[in-house]
Amino acid sequence: MLEVGDGNRVYWEACGNPDGKPALVVHGGPGSGCGPRARRYFDPERYRVVLFDQRGCGRSTPHASDPATELRHNTTHHLIADMERLREHLGITGWLLYGGSWGSTLILAYAQAHPERVTEAVIASVTTTRRSEIDWLYRGAGQLFPEAWHAFREGAPEGTEPAGLVAAYARLLESPDPAVRERATAAWCAWEDAVLSLEAGPGPAPYSGRPDRDQRAMVRICAHYFSHGAWLRENQLIDEAHRLAGIPAALVHGRFDLGSPLITAWELDRVWPEAELTVIDNAGHLGGPATRRAVLAALDRFAE
């Protein structure tokens, strides 16, 4: 556990070769927490793999599932500072960054703030959390799943405009009434599951299949971040991609990613000369065998 200020303690772990190439796993969500699956992409003989739970989720404390946990010190800029504090704590000069979905946004924001600390990046399911991307996920995608989106909209207070759904849910999730928070969490998870329904395999649903405590934290953190546009200027991470000059990167994106359409990865690839975009034609946001092979190949290449 690493003390990062504001009463927060961030959980971290390391595995692999202590003398190997340093790599940081940046999980998605925001608020999903890190898990053991991400370790499997790395050759443990060649990599020193570091994983951490971002503020308020996983094993970090205080946990956002507790309504008494304030989120005002949980922003993109706080997470960037936490990553730097962890790097310094571990005595790492520079590290490869790996992650996807929300993790890709945080990777890009960190790399643009501290480009001298990033040796390479491997990013799947590319997002930059622009307001236009948020609007697509929580409004535009309703054109593809109108029944599920209608139910999602019905979960917000009467009279809520479609463009205000995320902010409305963020307020519901701060309600003093636990029943209100529970209904909002369930409605949010049901919508997210609908967006991923064409690619989700057997087993628990990607969102509503999580333990209740993890659901509450992730949904609350997601709504908090997305209602604030992740505290980034619109198009910031694309406009400032010049800060990434000299950092080799592999971008891997599914053509049928309905949650994060390919356009974002394509735009980023065009302004980042050292990035190489691999489009997986038969994959979506959750990826698949071809996505995993592309990520493995990139990590093996960068381990040299």
Side-chain angles (χ1 to χ4, degrees), residues 70-289:
E70 286 196 19
L71 296 184
R72 62 193 178 99
H73 294 127
N74 194 333
T75 71
T76 303
H77 307 295
H78 286 95
L79 300 186
I80 292 170
D82 293 348
M83 292 162 69
E84 263 299 271
R85 191 182 295 251
L86 179 57
R87 182 192 62 77
E88 293 171 353
H89 176 72
L90 296 174
I92 293 172
T93 302
W95 47 12
L96 175 148
L97 303 180
Y98 163 67
S101 193
W102 158 256
S104 63
T105 294
L106 186 52
I107 284 171
L108 293 169
Y110 174 90
Q112 290 182 11
H114 302 284
E116 73 285 357
R117 300 303 182 189
V118 182
T119 56
E120 301 91 6
V122 178
I123 300 173
S125 303
V126 179
T127 73
T128 63
T129 315
R130 292 177 287 192
R131 287 162 181 81
S132 58
E133 295 172 50
I134 298 167
D135 183 67
W136 163 259
L137 179 56
Y138 297 103
R139 187 173 67 94
Q143 298 173 71
L144 304 175
F145 304 99
E147 307 96 333
W149 188 78
H150 177 75
F152 180 56
R153 186 176 180 182
E154 289 291 295
E158 186 176 352
T160 300
E161 293 294 324
L165 277 177
V166 172
Y169 270 90
R171 291 189 292 270
L172 291 174
L173 292 159
E174 298 302 321
S175 170
D177 185 341
V180 170
R181 299 195 302 270
E182 183 177 343
R183 286 194 298 271
T185 298
W188 184 288
C189 288
W191 168 245
E192 295 274 13
D193 285 342
V195 175
L196 297 176
S197 61
L198 299 184
E199 55 178 300
Y207 281 78
S208 57
R210 296 170 185 259
D212 290 349
R213 178 175 182 268
D214 295 340
Q215 278 187 47
R216 292 195 299 271
M218 183 170 64
V219 171
R220 188 179 174 211
I221 291 171
C222 279
H224 172 62
Y225 271 71
F226 296 158
S227 65
H228 289 90
W231 298 272
L232 299 169
R233 297 189 311 279
E234 185 68 355
N235 222 52
Q236 177 177 330
L237 299 181
I238 301 291
D239 291 342
E240 299 194 8
H242 59 88
R243 296 177 180 271
L244 305 172
I247 301 174
L251 310 178
V252 183
H253 204 97
R255 188 174 298 282
F256 297 115
D257 187 336
L258 300 183
S260 306
L262 177 59
I263 184 65
T264 297
W266 184 79
E267 290 176 349
L268 179 62
D269 179 61
R270 285 170 60 86
V271 294
W272 188 354
E274 291 82 7
E276 179 180 338
L277 173 61
T278 299
V279 178
I280 309 299
D281 283 330
N282 60 348
H285 193 73
L286 299 176

Side-chain angles (χ1 to χ4, degrees), residues 1-12 55 61-62 81-82 85-86 89:
M1 303 297 286
L2 180 68
E3 299 278 354
V4 293
D6 311 310
N8 282 273
R9 301 174 75 223
V10 165
Y11 170 87
W12 66 272
R55 290 190 183 202
T61 61
D82 293 348
R85 191 182 295 251
L86 179 57
H89 176 72

